[in-house]
Amino acid sequence: MGDTKTDDSKAAENNVNQNAEDASPPTPKEIRAIVLTGYGGLKAVKVMKRPEPSAPGEGEVIIRVQACGLNFLDLMARQGAIDNPPKTPCVMGFECAGVIEAVGEGVTDFKVKDNVVALTEYKAWAELVCVPAKYVYSLPPGMEPKEAVSMLMNYIVAYCLVFDIGNLQKGQKVLIHSGGGSVGLAVASLCKTVPDVTLIGTASKHKHDTIAEYFTHLFDHSQDYVQETKKLLPEGVDLVLDCVCGEDVNKGYSLLKPLGRYVLYGTSSIVSGETKSFFSFAKNHGVMLKWWQVDKVSPIKLFDENKILAGFHLRHLLYQQGCHDYVRGVVSKVFKMWEEKKIKITTDSEWALEDVAEAMQKMHDRKNIGKIILLPDKAPKPQQKAMKEKEKSITSGESTDTDPKDEQTPPPCIYESSENRFQIQ
């Protein structure tokens, strides 16, 4: 009888236990995100649970993401072939669109429930993203999140290349590489807003029928497009837009007429190991040495030949050089052109977050025509189908796996070391 607790003592003990439970910290909410776990092959990219962003800080907003953009920059980041690569694990992605859920102190241009699109320094591929408001842009009426990520980064780059740097004028001649990619098609659409422009593009042969309406002439990049261009335009071209780099710099420069402009805006030739890791490709094929075979150009040569050599790097312009006001002005101009139906949006395909590896592989293989987008709410492909595709890949010898030791550190950043090889003297 003495060992039996009274009802009052039991109630008191229950209250103590309940108070202890109430005092314990709440379990943090989680979101899905695409995480880079290490540098290398497609296995390094996984959908994982991450803590939900806390309240936004001063000058920040939190966005409920509805669509994400996949860019070639993401492939380079995954392989570590990018300047100042982040420490892994990290959330990937540079572009997303959705609805604002929270606004931090000092933010006056946005409010909760605004439809927006954002450029982020990584971390865009998640269900919730906290972003400084200076990198966030309001969507024009009628623009859907899918459309926003299909055009934002592409058209910012394209507008700067065509108008602000390229200074395209009526009747001029333009050559652009990777004409079937998302930036290439944006450039083509903008060129159509200028009268009598001749646009020559290089693109994979299988894309020619689909994109022919955008271009005056199309060549396969593997053929001698320099000689073919010289046959068509013996005097040369006014503007070369190059996202490939390597030996194409020398070729493009040779095509310029007096007062011609050559603009480098990418280095896609660095990502050549479509189904294998960059590390294996570099070791087996010596791509590190072959990639940057660019002649040096002196100011005197530019002076003598009346030619212009330029570069454009949106990520540096926005995050390192602080030109966010300039970029916002470009976004405003591009959105106005969209509202006036002067430009087109080309979306290649839509993918679930869980299928990001397959989406990346498609871009690696240069099979996309226009923008590839990721949708947090889209259901992933059935596992059975995914397994069959993986078995098929293994059977054909096209493994996407990487050696674990290859994923620990990124390769030497060619971008940073390149300044000793490609310089104005």
Side-chain angles (χ1 to χ4, degrees), residues 353-372:
L353 298 186
E354 289 77 6
D355 297 323
V356 63
E358 188 176 346
M360 281 188 160
Q361 187 65 64
K362 184 173 187 179
M363 183 172 284
H364 262 308
D365 295 336
R366 276 67 166 181
K367 291 181 178 179
N368 62 299
I369 299 176
K371 194 65 168 273
I372 293 175

Side-chain angles (χ1 to χ4, degrees), residues 200-339:
I200 298 174
T202 69
S204 301
K205 186 67 176 177
H206 66 86
K207 298 182 180 182
H208 286 199
D209 289 343
T210 305
I211 66 174
E213 63 177 294
Y214 289 92
F215 296 87
T216 313
H217 304 282
L218 271 172
F219 300 121
D220 191 298
H221 189 268
S222 62
Q223 73 184 100
D224 192 345
Y225 65 86
V226 173
Q227 290 305 314
E228 294 299 323
T229 300
K230 287 181 178 179
K231 289 178 185 178
L232 292 169
L233 305 170
E235 294 182 357
V237 300
D238 300 281
L239 179 62
V240 174
L241 303 176
D242 178 12
C243 64
V244 181
C245 200
E247 62 182 7
D248 286 283
V249 176
N250 304 327
K251 293 178 179 180
Y253 185 86
S254 72
L255 286 171
L256 290 179
K257 62 169 61 172
L259 301 182
R261 291 86 66 199
Y262 165 88
V263 188
L264 175 67
Y265 71 97
T267 54
S268 66
S269 61
I270 193 173
V271 182
S272 301
E274 287 88 350
T275 55
K276 297 181 180 180
S277 77
F278 174 80
F279 310 92
S280 299
F281 187 89
K283 286 182 287 189
N284 294 336
H285 299 274
V287 72
M288 301 288 282
L289 297 176
K290 182 180 178 182
W291 176 77
W292 199 268
Q293 293 179 348
V294 178
D295 290 341
K296 294 179 180 180
V297 181
S298 73
I300 295 300
K301 183 177 182 180
L302 295 174
F303 170 73
D304 288 341
E305 297 180 353
N306 283 298
K307 293 182 179 181
I308 298 167
L309 189 61
F312 181 76
H313 197 308
L314 177 61
R315 180 167 162 255
H316 287 184
L317 188 73
L318 199 56
Y319 307 118
Q320 297 180 19
Q321 296 162 347
C323 296
H324 48 86
D325 287 335
Y326 163 75
V327 172
R328 185 171 300 280
V330 173
V331 173
S332 177
K333 293 173 186 175
V334 167
F335 282 174
K336 184 177 180 181
M337 296 179 81
W338 177 83
E339 290 182 283

Side-chain angles (χ1 to χ4, degrees), residues 59 84 105 124 155 163 172 184 196 216 237 274 278 323 349 424:
N84 299 316
E105 184 179 348
Y155 268 95
F163 297 121
Q172 292 192 332
D196 303 323
T216 313
V237 300
E274 287 88 350
F278 174 80
C323 296
S349 51
I424 303 296

Side-chain angles (χ1 to χ4, degrees), residues 93-164:
F94 295 90
E95 184 179 30
C96 63
V99 179
I100 290 182
E101 283 208 351
V103 175
E105 184 179 348
V107 175
T108 58
D109 295 335
F110 302 102
K111 62 183 184 303
V112 173
K113 296 186 179 180
D114 278 355
N115 297 310
V116 296
V117 63
L119 294 173
T120 68
E121 178 73 324
Y122 303 103
K123 74 181 180 182
W125 294 352
E127 292 177 309
L128 280 175
V129 176
C130 187
V131 189
K134 61 186 177 181
Y135 305 135
V136 179
Y137 316 96
S138 296
L139 299 190
M143 181 179 284
E144 298 295 328
K146 294 179 185 180
E147 294 176 300
V149 294
S150 286
M151 74 174 296
L152 182 68
M153 185 177 290
N154 312 328
Y155 268 95
I156 291 174
V157 173
Y159 189 96
C160 295
L161 295 175
V162 171
F163 297 121
D164 288 355

